[in-house]
Amino acid sequence: MTVTTGDAHTPTGDLLEQVAALKHDLGKYVAWTSANLDEAVWDGPVAEELLTALRADLLETRKHGDRREAAWEIWQAHVGALPRPLEPELEAVGSAVARLERVGAALANDDRETLARERANIRAAQQDIRLQLRNLHRRLLRDRD
């Protein structure tokens, strides 16, 4: 199978590799810590435990020594190499990443009021990213065979 990208053609295998890398780099770590929190931490006043977990997951999604990359930086690093038009799942990932980026300053600045208001959106975006990347990866594996 070939994915058409303007005048170029990208074999599905290349897209599969790109999606697998994105699934690992972004999908795996965007909710690595916060996904395991007790449900009660997601309600009421924003607890330090939630704040710490979200900072780790969103502001330090990928760590290389002293270098830290936020979820949206990882997305930007990958999206430019993806074939156009983007697969629907990748469009959804891009939208979810944009929702997370909008709360980046609140996380960095300990703006608990904004985080309390946005935490359901944050959680939904994290889940969307994981789900969409998993579904696309599975679809590409099926299409390859």
Side-chain angles (χ1 to χ4, degrees):
M1 175 183 196
T2 301
V3 177
T4 303
T5 57
D7 292 333
H9 294 278
T10 303
T12 300
D14 291 346
L15 180 58
L16 178 59
E17 289 174 19
Q18 290 171 307
V19 169
L22 191 56
K23 182 180 171 213
H24 177 269
D25 295 348
L26 180 63
K28 181 176 182 179
Y29 297 109
V30 74
W32 184 255
T33 307
S34 59
N36 297 313
L37 295 176
D38 188 338
E39 193 65 32
V41 174
W42 289 93
D43 294 318
V46 175
E48 189 64 32
E49 183 179 13
L50 179 60
L51 186 61
T52 300
L54 290 175
R55 282 182 178 149
D57 291 345
L58 304 180
L59 298 180
E60 299 181 357
T61 311
R62 183 165 52 184
K63 301 171 193 169
H64 294 288
D66 291 338
R67 185 169 176 223
R68 305 289 190 250
E69 290 179 278
W72 41 93
E73 293 169 327
I74 294 167
W75 171 249
Q76 286 303 315
H78 284 271
V79 74
L82 294 170
R84 299 293 191 265
L86 288 177
E87 297 291 325
E89 297 92 340
L90 293 172
E91 290 284 353
V93 169
S95 176
V97 169
R99 294 190 332 252
L100 294 177
E101 187 173 10
R102 286 193 289 272
V103 299
L107 278 170
N109 297 320
D110 198 23
D111 181 353
R112 292 175 191 233
E113 185 176 315
T114 297
L115 295 172
R117 189 173 54 248
E118 294 295 325
R119 72 179 135 208
N121 286 329
I122 293 168
R123 196 174 195 190
Q126 289 173 304
Q127 292 169 350
D128 286 350
I129 290 166
R130 285 181 151 189
L131 177 68
Q132 295 296 334
L133 290 172
R134 184 190 73 212
N135 289 347
L136 178 57
H137 189 251
R138 286 178 180 171
R139 179 170 62 83
L140 292 172
L141 284 171
R142 277 193 316 269
D143 290 352
R144 180 186 66 177
D145 297 331

